[in-house]
Amino acid sequence: LRQKRDRDIRELEIENQELRGQLQDLKQSIKDLDTQLKRRNEDLNKVITTAESDAATKANFQKQIRDCQSELDTLQANFASEREIRKSLESEKRSLMEENNSLRNEIFDSTDVSQEILEREKKLQEDLSSM
C-alpha cells in the first residue's frame, strides 16, 4: 500500500512538473502574443496616422484644384470679354478710319476747288490788269 502511494505521489509529481512546464510555456506564449499585439497596434497606429495625413493632403490638393479651376474660369471669362471688347474696338477703329478717309477726301476736294477758285481769280486779275 505504501509503495502504491509512493508510486502515485511520484506520478502526481511528474504530472505536476509537466503541468508546470506547460503552464510556463503558456505564459511565455502569452508574453510573445502580447508583444506581437503591441507591435501590431503600433503598426496600426502608424498606418492610421499615415492615412489621416494622406486624407488631409488629398483634401488640400482638392481645394487647390478647385481654387485653380475657379481662377481658370475667371481668366477664361476675362479673356472672352477682352476678345469681345477688341472686336468692338477694331470695328470702331475701322469705322473711324473710314470716316477719317472720307473727311480727308472732302478736304482734298474742297482744297482742289479752293485752289481752282484762287487760280481763276488770279487769272481774272491778270486779265483785268492787262486790259
Side-chain angles (χ1 to χ4, degrees), residues 33-50:
L33 289 172
D34 192 41
T35 301
Q36 285 179 3
L37 180 62
K38 284 179 185 177
R39 221 176 309 124
R40 288 192 179 165
N41 278 338
E42 288 172 2
D43 291 344
L44 180 61
N45 285 335
K46 286 178 186 176
V47 168
I48 289 171
T49 301
T50 302

Side-chain angles (χ1 to χ4, degrees), residues 46-62:
K46 286 178 186 176
V47 168
I48 289 171
T49 301
T50 302
E52 289 171 349
S53 174
D54 289 350
T57 301
K58 179 183 176 184
N60 188 29
F61 282 143
Q62 287 174 334

Side-chain angles (χ1 to χ4, degrees), residues 3-125:
Q3 286 178 345
K4 186 178 179 213
R5 193 181 67 154
D6 286 342
R7 195 174 6 117
D8 287 342
I9 289 176
R10 278 192 305 259
E11 285 177 8
L12 287 174
E13 284 176 353
I14 291 173
E15 190 177 334
N16 187 20
Q17 283 181 347
E18 287 175 1
L19 289 173
R20 284 180 190 237
Q22 288 176 359
L23 179 63
Q24 194 63 29
D25 290 344
L26 289 172
K27 283 182 180 181
Q28 186 60 42
S29 292
I30 289 171
K31 248 187 194 180
D32 293 344
L33 289 172
D34 192 41
T35 301
Q36 285 179 3
L37 180 62
K38 284 179 185 177
R39 221 176 309 124
R40 288 192 179 165
N41 278 338
E42 288 172 2
D43 291 344
L44 180 61
N45 285 335
K46 286 178 186 176
V47 168
I48 289 171
T49 301
T50 302
E52 289 171 349
S53 174
D54 289 350
T57 301
K58 179 183 176 184
N60 188 29
F61 282 143
Q62 287 174 334
K63 183 184 181 304
Q64 288 177 358
I65 288 170
R66 284 191 304 274
D67 291 346
C68 286
Q69 185 62 46
S70 175
E71 187 174 339
L72 178 63
D73 291 344
T74 301
L75 289 173
Q76 286 175 334
N78 288 347
F79 179 73
S81 175
E82 194 170 311
R83 189 179 325 144
E84 291 301 317
I85 290 170
R86 281 180 187 237
K87 283 181 185 178
S88 174
L89 288 174
E90 284 294 324
S91 175
E92 192 174 331
K93 179 182 173 184
R94 274 191 306 267
S95 176
L96 288 173
M97 287 179 74
E98 288 172 6
E99 186 178 344
N100 187 26
N101 284 335
S102 176
L103 290 172
R104 184 178 296 144
N105 288 337
E106 284 180 32
I107 289 173
F108 286 142
D109 289 346
S110 69
T111 302
D112 288 344
V113 169
S114 296
Q115 186 66 30
E116 193 169 318
I117 291 172
L118 285 175
E119 285 177 12
R120 284 185 185 180
E121 280 183 16
K122 188 176 179 184
K123 187 176 179 186
L124 181 62
Q125 281 182 2

